Amino acid sequence: MPAPGSLAAATAQVQSARHQVGPRVKKAPNKAPIAAPSPAAQQSKFPPRAPFTTADDAVAAIPGMPDARFWADSVSDFEKALPAQPGPWLILSTGGADGAFGAGLLNGLSAAGNRPDYSVVTGVSTGALMAPFAFAGPKYDEALKDAYTKITSADIFEVGSTGESFLDSWPLKDLIAKQITPQLLADIAAGYQAGRRLFVVTTDLDAERSVVWNMGAIAAHASDKTDGAAALNLFRTVLLASGSIPGAFPPVLIDVEGNGKRFAEMHVDGGVGGQFFVAPPAMLAGTGADRIPASQLYIVVNSALQPDFAVVDRSTPAILAQAVGMAVKVDLRLMLDRTFIAAKNSGVGFNVATIPADFHAPSRGPFDPKYMQALFDVGYAQGKSAAAFANAPPPYPAPPATDPNSDAK
């Protein structure tokens, strides 16, 4: 069930989608083409949002589910939500269709018998969408594989402005509803009740703060006869929000209550606040007594880290794709370096799996099944090998060749 996991993926998809024709573009049932609205029409398209303040949002919670979430920068709330005993943590990054690498890696680890029972699983964007399957265990490996090898862009978005975005993500919303079944939620709830934790990150755009959703707690509410349907809907909504790249996909409004007021927060892709999530920033800074309470960190980077040279077209989508793609790679490397140091300071084992630098399979467009199958196969082989993870961040690339006779793109 991959969704665009990074801003770079989204802008590239916008560019590609505008030139797509034929069956790759899915149309909503009974939905007639709509002419591009004028700026004035766009302003009046949506009803006014209920007003609320910073103080209201700071204490806001999901009605009936006070344990559903916490702010990602709160050390005390993070520690309260963790398992009682430290164990291995699985950290799943952003990356869009490149989540096929992580899906393959997890399948390979299972095949080799080297996949631990992770006590904590965290996911951001595409990492959030694979996290429920990873948390629920190897019996969902086939479903995870299908989610990253048997879909196309038509299963993720429809081309056309919504007034809030370039693309409409209703196909992804439908896909999530099909994939996140009551049985999967029951299995996640069982893991939560056994002391394990599943965290997914979104970005509260109103507050400009990251939010961590305690998905196991939400899944446990799904078995409640009074609010079970609401919990199932919230679980699916959070996953959609975590993959909703601002500008490319519509934001997701989530109803909350704070200081006696009911209002809707605007949530977007969790990658806006960081490409993966390990712990609150203060715990990674190394300036206090806080330490990462894990035994091992296993970080799966679902995105290439190598510079991707291209003579950039003079078009808005191409410029955005290249610029943001670079920013995501820089952010990933900085986050890996910081986490590596924090793990060493905490006495925690550091393990990271990245897409091999020599992987260069061609892609015919966003969410190309052949490309994703090739990347899945690479991840599977790496997961099944004796070197699935490295114990340090990958080295920075050497400067490019300056010989004019060298190969150029």
Side-chain angles (χ1 to χ4, degrees), residues 215-241:
M215 304 300 276
I218 296 172
H221 282 284
S223 62
D224 193 305
K225 294 181 180 179
T226 59
D227 63 0
L232 175 59
N233 180 65
L234 178 62
F235 194 102
R236 293 167 172 168
T237 298
V238 169
L239 294 182
L240 179 64

Side-chain angles (χ1 to χ4, degrees), residues 349-368:
F350 179 92
N351 309 273
V352 61
T354 58
I355 297 174
D358 60 357
F359 176 78
H360 297 298
S363 174
R364 297 173 299 172
F367 297 97
D368 174 10

Side-chain angles (χ1 to χ4, degrees), residues 63-366:
M65 289 180 267
D67 55 350
R69 66 182 204 167
F70 55 90
W71 294 108
D73 54 15
S74 173
V75 172
S76 61
D77 289 343
F78 178 69
E79 290 176 336
K80 290 176 185 176
L82 289 175
Q85 299 297 325
W89 293 8
L90 177 66
I91 313 299
L92 302 169
S93 86
T94 65
D98 284 357
F101 170 75
L105 186 89
L106 289 169
N107 271 260
L109 289 170
S110 296
N114 291 329
R115 183 168 161 183
D117 193 17
Y118 303 107
S119 63
V120 173
V121 176
T122 78
V124 178
S125 200
T126 203
L129 295 172
M130 71 173 64
F133 298 108
F135 183 83
K139 75 175 184 177
Y140 285 94
D141 279 356
E142 193 64 28
L144 180 60
K145 176 182 179 181
D146 289 349
Y148 281 89
T149 59
K150 294 185 177 180
I151 65 152
T152 70
S153 60
D155 297 300
I156 305 300
F157 60 79
E158 178 185 16
V159 180
S161 174
T162 68
E164 296 178 304
S165 60
F166 294 120
L167 306 174
D168 194 334
S169 59
W170 72 262
L172 175 60
K173 182 178 180 180
D174 285 357
L175 184 61
I176 290 173
K178 294 174 184 176
Q179 298 276 358
I180 303 301
T181 63
Q183 182 57 56
L184 176 56
L185 249 67
D187 290 337
I188 291 171
Y192 172 75
Q193 290 160 351
R196 299 169 58 229
R197 296 294 179 262
L198 170 60
F199 297 144
V200 161
V201 180
T202 65
T203 303
D204 181 338
L205 201 57
D206 299 309
E208 294 189 349
R209 296 173 73 187
S210 296
V211 176
V212 179
W213 296 85
N214 192 339
M215 304 300 276
I218 296 172
H221 282 284
S223 62
D224 193 305
K225 294 181 180 179
T226 59
D227 63 0
L232 175 59
N233 180 65
L234 178 62
F235 194 102
R236 293 167 172 168
T237 298
V238 169
L239 294 182
L240 179 64
S242 188
S244 293
I245 307 93
F249 284 5
V252 176
L253 297 179
I254 298 180
D255 293 329
V256 297
E257 183 173 4
N259 288 332
K261 300 177 185 178
R262 292 216 172 192
F263 51 92
E265 297 170 337
M266 182 178 286
H267 285 256
V268 297
D269 194 295
V272 172
Q275 306 308 311
F276 58 83
F277 177 78
V278 175
M283 295 187 74
L284 302 178
T287 56
D290 295 313
R291 295 292 183 266
I292 302 172
S295 60
Q296 296 281 334
L297 294 181
Y298 293 93
I299 303 173
V300 179
V301 179
N302 295 303
S303 184
L305 294 173
Q306 304 300 314
D308 188 15
F309 177 86
V311 178
V312 181
D313 291 338
R314 296 182 69 175
S315 69
T316 301
I319 293 168
L320 283 173
Q322 192 76 355
V324 180
M326 175 182 174
V328 168
K329 292 170 185 175
V330 171
D331 188 31
L332 273 168
R333 284 193 175 274
L334 291 175
M335 291 186 68
L336 285 173
D337 292 345
R338 186 180 192 187
T339 303
F340 176 70
I341 294 172
K344 293 302 179 184
N345 290 340
S346 300
V348 174
F350 179 92
N351 309 273
V352 61
T354 58
I355 297 174
D358 60 357
F359 176 78
H360 297 298
S363 174
R364 297 173 299 172

